[in-house]
Amino acid sequence: MSRIPEDLRYAQTHEWISVAHDGVATVGITDHAQELLGDIVFVELPEVGAKVSVSEESGVVESVKAASDIYAPVSGEIIEVNERLTEEPELVNSDPYGDGWFYRMQIAEAKEVEALLDADGYGDLCEDDEES
């Protein structure tokens, strides 16, 4: 069973988001997503300064099995990317909620965060994935 931290919000496309009090959010993919992908071999990150809209493609993850787009869980501006992933993409597998984060962004619309799934809702989504 995948780990689903209670303090994060989740997109139906398997990205997680952690929002700090200053409106800066950290984004990555979930434990469930990295398990489905298998061994991550490459991560393409967005450009710092790029503005993204909710559900817009904001990166790519490649594994030994497949390539998968990463989508912005909320709208905002990319203010930092995790450069370690260019040399160590396997961090996404070993620590998806820690060192395997993808980027940080300044959120444009705080209400978009509330539209994301909580841990229980994301857990239900993962169970539905496993049943289908």
Side-chain angles (χ1 to χ4, degrees):
M1 181 71 185
S2 303
R3 291 180 304 122
I4 304 173
E6 293 284 329
D7 59 335
L8 304 176
R9 301 294 283 198
Y10 302 88
Q12 291 191 6
T13 50
H14 304 287
E15 292 82 15
W16 60 263
I17 185 170
S18 172
V19 182
H21 295 294
D22 59 2
V24 172
T26 303
V27 176
I29 63 170
T30 65
D31 192 32
H32 180 74
Q34 70 80 22
E35 285 176 359
L36 291 174
L37 284 167
D39 293 336
I40 307 291
V41 295
F42 176 77
V43 176
E44 180 181 308
L45 299 167
E47 296 288 323
V48 171
K51 291 185 177 9
V52 294
S53 298
V54 65
S55 300
E56 182 180 340
E57 184 184 317
S58 60
V60 177
V61 175
E62 291 183 19
S63 72
V64 294
K65 292 182 184 177
S68 182
D69 292 333
I70 303 304
Y71 300 96
V74 296
S75 302
E77 181 178 348
I78 307 299
I79 59 171
E80 182 182 0
V81 296
N82 186 353
E83 297 288 351
R84 283 185 66 191
L85 295 183
T86 58
E87 297 294 323
E88 301 174 80
E90 66 276 4
L91 288 172
V92 177
N93 294 118
S94 63
D95 194 10
Y97 300 116
D99 290 339
W101 63 275
F102 282 52
Y103 57 86
R104 293 198 170 101
M105 63 189 303
Q106 183 67 52
I107 296 175
E109 295 289 333
K111 66 181 182 236
E112 289 177 351
V113 176
E114 298 307 313
L116 297 169
L117 299 168
D118 62 12
D120 289 337
Y122 184 69
D124 291 344
L125 177 72
C126 293
E127 283 180 24
D128 290 346
D129 278 355
E130 291 168 5
E131 290 172 5
S132 53

